[in-house]
Amino acid sequence: GLKSNDFENLLGCMDRLTRREKAIIIRRFGMTDGHPETLDKVAETFGISRERVRQLQVKSIRKLKESMGKKYKDNFFIPKYF
């Protein structure tokens, strides 16, 4: 599972994301309530296409991986679904 410290590190790196990217990641992976939302649900919430949500998700995950890698080198955790 996700350890508290890992979660805090991940949240810290999310500062690199735009407000919309951060909200999409939080909703897609259920980071606040433990209930991930579908691409369709997130798209409806933001008034954008399902494909655009997917693109922003991929872009955001790439940014997170880069940020986590630079900050924590090989000693970092990114959940498998990333």
Side-chain angles (χ1 to χ4, degrees):
L2 193 60
K3 296 177 191 162
S4 167
N5 204 28
D6 294 331
F7 189 70
E8 289 171 18
N9 292 342
L10 182 59
L11 288 178
C13 287
M14 286 181 73
D15 288 343
R16 184 160 186 255
L17 304 179
T18 66
R19 193 168 37 202
R20 181 167 73 164
E21 289 168 343
K22 190 182 300 187
I24 286 171
I25 291 296
I26 288 170
R27 288 174 175 274
R28 283 289 292 138
F29 296 103
M31 294 174 75
T32 54
D33 62 5
H35 299 290
E37 294 183 11
T38 65
L39 288 171
D40 290 324
K41 176 69 176 160
V42 175
E44 182 181 318
T45 300
F46 286 93
I48 58 179
S49 72
R50 179 182 194 280
E51 175 60 16
R52 185 65 184 138
V53 171
R54 189 196 65 74
Q55 291 168 354
L56 289 168
Q57 176 181 315
V58 168
K59 178 181 177 183
S60 300
I61 291 169
R62 188 177 311 119
K63 282 183 178 181
L64 286 172
K65 284 183 177 181
E66 288 172 9
S67 182
M68 295 285 284
K70 285 178 185 170
K71 187 168 183 176
Y72 300 102
K73 306 284 184 241
D74 292 331
N75 188 23
F76 74 97
F77 171 84
I78 293 186
K80 285 185 181 178
Y81 47 74
F82 276 16

